[in-house]
Amino acid sequence: MCGKPPNQPYQQNEAACQVFRKAILRKLSDPELTVWFGDETGISADHRPRKRWVHKGKRITILTNGSHRQENRIGAVQPQSGRLIALQVPEVDSDVFLVFLDELANEIKGENTLLVLDIA
């Protein structure tokens, strides 16, 4: 999806997005090329109280164990085949990204491959 993400300070060029979309669709239809899409995410189990709806005059009880947990994933999917490679890691940094690239390289040995990443 091209366009300005919410709360982002930059504007994307819609004409450039259209060119990119067409190029990716051509690449996806090339039988000699495997296209992978990669990204990372953090999943947080944060039990701190957030805004909630509650009836006026009522108290809300939020159960918490007082801890915070963060899990991170980095991975890539190959939509033509549905193949997926992913790592669960304590944090994502340049060293972890290189390990991820090594794992992906082992998965795609001998394939003509394009890896599409976001701007992170």
Side-chain angles (χ1 to χ4, degrees), residues 4-12:
K4 181 179 176 286
N7 303 320
Q8 294 295 320
Y10 60 89
Q11 293 283 338
Q12 290 188 358

Side-chain angles (χ1 to χ4, degrees), residues 72-83:
N72 298 287
R73 308 287 190 277
I74 184 168
V77 64
Q78 202 275 321
Q80 292 123 316
S81 67
R83 288 189 294 173

Side-chain angles (χ1 to χ4, degrees), residues 32-47:
E32 302 297 317
L33 182 67
T34 57
V35 180
W36 290 76
F37 294 89
D39 207 352
E40 56 79 30
T41 189
I43 303 163
S44 179
D46 188 352
H47 301 290

Side-chain angles (χ1 to χ4, degrees), residues 8-9 12 22 30-32 34 42 48-49 68 70-71 84 87-88 93-94 100 104:
Q8 294 295 320
Q12 290 188 358
K22 288 178 184 175
D30 182 346
E32 302 297 317
T34 57
R48 291 179 293 181
H68 171 82
Q70 176 81 21
E71 296 288 337
L84 169 72
L87 302 176
Q88 178 178 331
D93 58 16
S94 58
F100 163 71
L104 182 60

